[in-house]
């Protein structure tokens, strides 16, 4: 059956960024369609580790991260569930003097950003976290950080957007987007067509294809993080754990299971999906058991992996297209998008409504990768801090 929708904003990609933007836009009164080639939240947003952390992010991400930090305690109000969000604190461990020096340097660099980092030496670590192996030299604690269940949170944002009146179209891959007068014409799924004033490209690991279609190629690559969950254990791991320099991350949920990450999965033939590596999972579990002795005899009961977009500078792409009026990008979160995604959704909604946002996003411009060159016959525009005239839906009620 053919179906046509005429809406203000079409969002390509139903992960946590796209679904939170859809909810925020509906709360502002915009008509919205959220499209996903599979199920909303089934890729990176729903299969990640679940860390809700500000600590360790590049400084330029911290204003956005702080904005999202204010959203997480309000999940039940926003989406109807708390998503198992727990403000446990995030403890980043140092295995060497060099690692500890890096933690100290980072704490000094971001001291004005409101993270409240606490540096902990070896003796203090042993006293406060005796379940961590004594070989760890020290750590940095961000007490306000925590963790949540990505499978619950990502799906709940999409469901909340649907309840708020968004058209949520799952198993509806976008097969074509073209400028159409002052807006866009989209083709999707089997017989679905849309016209929209604004398009948000939040297609995750597939977003580079849409960006390239509008003359903005980016050096996006794919990563395939792999997670392990253990059988339920007695409560012991009181904080969300990371390692300076990467390698291992671990947390324990309320029911006792420990979630462990740090391994990469193997992409399948089409590279859209991946599968965990048995040898890699075993190596991560053995390494984790060295640091957390309580896990030495734990049984691993599940493994999974997902597909995420990675950018070479670790920063996402967020903001207006440099070639195409009405196109907004939001992708490339490099394994660290879960915490900031609700804040990104608010920012995207502000860009649609106002043409600007109160949160600094200049560092995330797509223009940092190449000088834009639009498709043949298309005028190039430049979006400054005020791009309202190019971003607002035209010829229809923006708040209808």
């Amino acid at each position: 059956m053919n179906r046509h929708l005429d809406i203000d904003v079409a969002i390509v990609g139903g992960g946590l960024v796209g679904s939170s933007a859809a909810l925020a836009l509906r709360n502002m009164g915009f008509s919205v369609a959220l499209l996903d080639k599979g199920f909303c939240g089934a890729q990176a947003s729903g299969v990640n580790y679940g860390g809700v952390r500000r600590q360790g992010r590049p400084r330029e991400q911290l204003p956005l991260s702080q904005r999202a930090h204010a959203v997480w305690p309000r999940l039940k109000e926003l989406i109807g569930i708390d998503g198992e969000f727990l403000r446990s604190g995030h403890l980043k461990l140092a295995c060497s003097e060099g690692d500890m020096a890096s933690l100290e340097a980072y704490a000094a660099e971001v001291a004005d950003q409101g993270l409240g980092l606490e540096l902990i030496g070896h003796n203090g670590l042993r006293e406060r976290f005796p379940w961590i192996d004594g070989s760890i030299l020290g750590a940095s604690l961000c007490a306000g950080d925590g963790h949540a269940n990505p499978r619950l949170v990502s799906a709940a944002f999409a469901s909340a957007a649907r309840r708020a009146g968004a058209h949520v179209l799952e198993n509806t891959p976008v097969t074509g987007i073209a400028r159409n007068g002052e807006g866009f014409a989209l083709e999707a799924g089997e017989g679905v067509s849309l016209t929209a004033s604004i398009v948000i490209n939040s297609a995750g690991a597939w977003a580079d294809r849409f960006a390239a279609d509008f003359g903005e190629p980016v050096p996006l690559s794919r990563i395939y993080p792999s997670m392990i969950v253990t059988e339920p254990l007695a409560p012991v791991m009181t904080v969300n754990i990371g390692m300076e320099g990467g390698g291992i991350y671990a947390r324990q949920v309320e029911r006792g299971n420990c979630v462990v990450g740090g391994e990469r999965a193997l992409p399948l033939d089409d590279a859209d999906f991946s599968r965990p590596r048995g040898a890699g999972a075993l190596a991560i579990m053995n390494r984790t058991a060295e640091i957390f002795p309580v896990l030495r005899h734990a049984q691993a009961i599940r493994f999974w992996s997902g597909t995420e977009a990675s950018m070479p500078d670790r920063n996402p792409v967020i903001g207006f297209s440099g070639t195409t009026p009405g196109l907004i990008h939001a992708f490339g979160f490099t394994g660290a998008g879960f915490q900031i995604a609700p804040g990104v959704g608010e920012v995207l909604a502000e860009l649609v409504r106002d043409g600007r946002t109160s949160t600094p996003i200049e560092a995330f411009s797509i223009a940092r990768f190449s000088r834009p060159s639009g498709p043949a016959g298309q005028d190039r525009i430049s979006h400054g801090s005020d791009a309202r005239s190019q971003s607002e839906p035209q010829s229809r009620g923006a708040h209808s």
Side-chain angles (χ1 to χ4, degrees), residues 330-398:
F331 62 84
F333 293 88
T334 316
F338 187 56
Q339 187 270 341
I340 63 174
V344 175
E346 291 185 350
V347 163
L348 295 174
E350 284 183 353
L351 291 177
V352 171
R353 183 188 64 190
D354 305 326
R356 62 169 71 86
T357 175
S358 58
T359 302
I361 60 170
E362 290 80 5
F364 314 133
S365 170
I366 196 168
R368 72 188 191 268
F369 295 113
S370 63
R371 181 176 298 276
S373 56
Q378 178 174 289
D379 292 336
R380 181 184 306 172
I381 69 163
S382 175
H383 291 291
S385 59
D386 182 357
R388 182 175 184 133
S389 63
Q390 297 292 347
S391 69
E392 280 192 341
Q394 300 176 36
S395 69
R396 68 184 71 186

Side-chain angles (χ1 to χ4, degrees), residues 209-225:
R209 302 173 186 175
F210 295 105
D213 285 344
F214 289 97
E216 296 179 297
V218 291
L220 181 150
S221 59
R222 294 182 179 186
I223 56 176
Y224 305 92

Side-chain angles (χ1 to χ4, degrees), residues 71 116 138 148 192 200-201 243 269 271 287 299 324-325 338 366 373 378:
V71 177
V192 178
I200 295 176
N201 172 20
M243 306 288 293
D269 289 342
R287 175 64 177 140
Q299 297 291 319
T324 309
F338 187 56
I366 196 168
S373 56
Q378 178 174 289

Side-chain angles (χ1 to χ4, degrees), residues 50 57 62-63 84 86 88 108 126 181 217 273 342-343 351 365 385:
R57 293 182 179 277
L62 291 179
E84 298 181 2
L86 178 63
S88 62
R126 294 295 297 151
F273 298 96
L351 291 177
S365 170
S385 59

